[in-house]
Every structure is written in C-alpha cells, then in structure tokens.
Amino acid sequence: MHIEINTDNNIQADESVVRHVHQSLDPLKTRFSDQVRRIEVHLHDRNADRKGDNDKHCLLEAKLEG
C-alpha cells in the first residue's frame, strides 16, 4: 500500500510529519493492505494568515484495488 502525502504551502512535510502519518496509518495498512492500493493524505492549514491551534485539516482518500 502506497501512502502519498500532499500539503498546502503553509505546512511542510518534513521527516517528522511523514513518520507521524505513516505510524498513524500502520493499523490501516495491516488490516486493509489487500483491499487498498493507495492512501492519499491531504494536510491543509485553513487559517494560514492567522495564529491558532485548531486550524489544521486532514483529509484521507483511499484508492481501492481493482
């Protein structure tokens, strides 16, 4: 199963972010590896121009086999 991480211009997908995403998705990879071909992770900062902690958005998109 391939994991693709997409970010907007305000979030940097450095090594720690990539590692966190992969570790968070490990249970899904184990359970659904024969059914899911790829998972796309979309990370966005909704209020990039303003400070705040609750403005991050994560969307997961699963691409199925077949």
Side-chain angles (χ1 to χ4, degrees):
M1 176 186 311
H2 176 72
I3 297 175
E4 182 177 323
I5 302 172
N6 302 302
T7 62
D8 65 8
N9 293 334
N10 302 301
I11 296 179
Q12 293 185 7
D14 60 12
E15 185 178 324
S16 65
V17 171
V18 172
R19 184 175 39 250
H20 178 74
V21 168
H22 280 271
Q23 288 175 348
S24 298
L25 294 177
D26 272 344
L28 291 176
K29 291 191 302 188
T30 302
R31 183 170 178 192
F32 297 109
S33 63
D34 59 336
Q35 298 170 358
V36 177
R37 175 173 41 107
R38 181 176 75 212
I39 295 178
E40 293 184 17
V41 180
H42 303 275
L43 302 173
H44 301 282
D45 186 348
R46 290 183 176 176
N47 300 328
D49 55 341
R50 294 179 288 194
K51 301 266 187 228
D53 292 334
N54 293 329
D55 60 349
K56 307 300 185 277
H57 178 75
C58 176
L59 172 73
L60 299 177
E61 187 176 350
K63 304 293 186 177
L64 303 178
E65 288 290 345

